[in-house]
Amino acid sequence: MRRHRNLIIMLVMAALVAAAVYYIVPPSEKTHLGLDLQGGLEVVYTARTADGKVPSAAQLDQTIGILDRRVNGLGVTESQIQKQGADQISVALPGVRDAEQALRVIGKTAQLEFFKDDPVSRPVGPVESKQAALRELRRLGASKAEVRQLAAEGTTEHYSLVVRPADETAGLPEQWFVYRRPPAMTGAAIKTARAGFNSRTGKPDVLIDFTPEGSKTFQRITRELYRTGLLKNEPQTFAIVLDNEMASDPYIDYTDPTLRDGISGGAEITGGNMTVQESKDLAFVLNTGALPVKLEPAYQQQVSATLGKDSLRKGLYAGLAGLVLVLAYMLAFYRFLGLVADLALVVYGVLLWGLFNAVPVTLTLPGVAGMILTIGMAADANVVIFERIKEEVRRGRTVRSAVSSGYARGFRAILDANALTILTALVLFFFATAQPKGFALTLILGTLVSMLTAVLFTRALLGVLASFAFFDRPALMGVPAAEIQPEEPAAARRPGLRPQPQPQAAAPAADEPAAAPELRRTPRRTPTGGQKKRRKRR
C-alpha cells in the first residue's frame, strides 16, 4: 500500500515537472524580467479634474492606487508608478509587448454614468455633429464660457457632452447629445463587471452587477421609466455613458407587466462595434474602479535596462555556481542520500522556474538573489532529515527503518524553520515597496517549493528505492561500519523498563584456596508420642 502511494506521488511530481517545462520553454519568451534587466515603456500622464483644474494630492494618490491595480491586471508586475510634480504621474512598465493596448487600458478614466433620456435630463440631441450640439446648448441659454469649456473638456459642472459612435452594422450615423448633470447613477453603484455576449445579437458586451444600494437605485429609475412609458404610450430609454461616449441606450418596454416594479440586479453594456478584447478591457477597468481624474499622455518613451544583460548574466552565473557547489557537497558528504538530494534540487529548480513563469513573477536583480537564497534553504531541509537518518543508522537500525524515523523526527524542525521564513517574507512583502517586494515574493515561493521537494518528493523516492536489496547498506548513507552500534534489546528501548541483573555467585578470593566439597549427614528426628499414636492408627 505504501509503495503504491509513493509511486503515485512520483507520477504527480513528474506531471508537475512536465507542466513546469511547458511554462519555461522557450525561456527567452516566457521568462519575465524587470525594468532593471530588460527595460520597458515609460509614460508620463498629466492629470486634470473634471472641471480642468489641478487635482489634489489625495486624488493623485487614489489615481496611483487604481493604476497599480490595472497594471497588475495586465500581467505586468515590478512596475514603477510615481508622482512627478503637482499634476503628473509617471508609469514605467517592464517588457510590454502591446504598448497601445496597455496605454488604452491604463489611461482609461472609466467614468460610468447613467442618464435618463427625458427632455429635462437631455436638453440637446440627437444632432449630427459636436458643433451643432454646442450651438443648440448656447441657444438654450448656456453661457459662452461654459460652452467653450464643454467643447474642450467634454464635461462641466452642469453638462456632459456625449457622442454615440456610428454603427455601420445597424446603419446608424454618429450622433451627439448634451445631458444635464448630475447623472441618475454613477459607476460607484457597480459591484462587479464581466465580459459576455448579447443573448439576441451574439455580439460581445459587458454584464454589470450592482451593489445592494445601487440595485435599489436602478430599480427605482427603471420603475419611473416604466410608468412614464405607460403615460406617454411609448418606450422610455436611458443612456449608459462611459467617458462621454454612449455605450448603450436600452429601453424599458412598458407593455411588459413584469417590469412594473422596475429592474433589479444588473444591467448590460452593448457597444455596436465592441470586440471581445474591448469587452474584456472594459469589464477590467470597471472592476478596478474609475479614475477620479482624467489622464492625458504628456509623452512616452522606451527606457533601457538600468543594469543590463551583464548584471543578469553575472547573477545567473552566481546562482549556477552556488547550485553546483551545493550538489557536489551533498554528493560527497551524504553519498547515495546526497544523490537523491541532488535530484530533488534539480526538480526544485525546474518547478520554481516554471512557477515563476506561470504566476507570472517579474524577475529583478533582488528577485534573482531571493531565488538563489532558496537553493540553500532547499538543501538545508535535506540536511536536517539526512542527519536524522544517519543518527538512526549509527544506533543500529536498518536503513529502511532509519529513513522512516528520520523523516518523522526531522519534519517538525523543517516546518518551524520554513514557517518563520515565510512569516518574515510576508511582512517584507506587505510593508515594502518595489524591488524588496519582489525579493520577498521569490523567497516565499521558493520556500514553499522547497518544502514540496524536500519532504514529499525525496521521501517518496526513498520509499520506492527501499524495495531494492542494495538500499539496506549503511555505507551508501555515508555511515562507516565502525560507527554503527549494536541495536539495543526491545526492552531497553522502551522508556521506564530496565533489564533486571542476573544473580551471580560470589567468586573466591585469589589468595584463598578453594574449599573441598563437604558431605554432611542430616540428623534423624525422633518422633514424638503423638506422632507414634497416629502411626499405630494407620
Side-chain angles (χ1 to χ4, degrees), residues 41-58:
L41 175 69
E42 181 183 14
V43 186
V44 176
Y45 291 100
T46 300
R48 287 291 182 268
T49 60
D51 54 1
K53 297 180 180 179
V54 176
S56 63

Side-chain angles (χ1 to χ4, degrees), residues 408-429:
R409 295 186 177 186
F411 176 75
R412 183 61 181 271
I414 296 173
L415 182 62
D416 292 344
N418 287 337
L420 290 176
T421 301
I422 292 175
L423 287 176
T424 304
L426 284 174
V427 173
L428 183 62
F429 181 81

Side-chain angles (χ1 to χ4, degrees), residues 223-244:
R223 182 171 60 246
E224 293 174 357
L225 293 175
Y226 176 83
R227 294 175 180 176
T228 304
L230 283 177
L231 294 175
K232 295 185 177 182
N233 200 28
E234 62 180 9
Q236 300 297 303
T237 62
F238 64 95
I240 302 178
V241 178
L242 179 68
D243 292 343
N244 296 88

Side-chain angles (χ1 to χ4, degrees), residues 224-308:
E224 293 174 357
L225 293 175
Y226 176 83
R227 294 175 180 176
T228 304
L230 283 177
L231 294 175
K232 295 185 177 182
N233 200 28
E234 62 180 9
Q236 300 297 303
T237 62
F238 64 95
I240 302 178
V241 178
L242 179 68
D243 292 343
N244 296 88
E245 184 176 305
M246 187 177 294
S248 184
D249 192 25
Y251 68 91
I252 303 299
D253 187 3
Y254 69 96
T255 63
D256 186 355
T258 61
L259 302 180
R260 181 182 298 108
D261 294 328
I263 302 173
S264 62
E268 184 179 20
I269 300 177
T270 58
N273 299 318
M274 185 184 296
T275 64
V276 174
Q277 184 60 46
E278 288 174 344
S279 67
K280 292 180 180 179
D281 292 343
L282 176 56
F284 170 67
V285 296
L286 291 177
N287 283 324
T288 54
L291 295 177
V293 297
K294 291 185 177 181
L295 297 179
E296 298 178 359
Y299 67 89
Q300 68 181 68
Q301 62 180 354
Q302 293 290 332
V303 294
S304 59
T306 57
L307 295 176

Side-chain angles (χ1 to χ4, degrees), residues 210-221:
F210 294 115
T211 62
E213 188 64 29
S215 180
K216 293 178 182 178
T217 304
F218 188 70
Q219 185 176 14
R220 176 180 56 80
I221 294 172

Side-chain angles (χ1 to χ4, degrees), residues 329-340:
Y329 172 81
M330 296 295 291
L331 187 61
F333 197 77
Y334 291 102
R335 309 291 177 84
F336 183 76
L337 289 178
L339 181 62
V340 173

Side-chain angles (χ1 to χ4, degrees), residues 114 164 174 197 207 215 287 302 389 433 519:
F114 297 78
R164 179 163 64 187
E174 181 181 84
F197 294 91
L207 303 176
S215 180
N287 283 324
Q302 293 290 332
I389 293 175
T433 57
L519 296 178

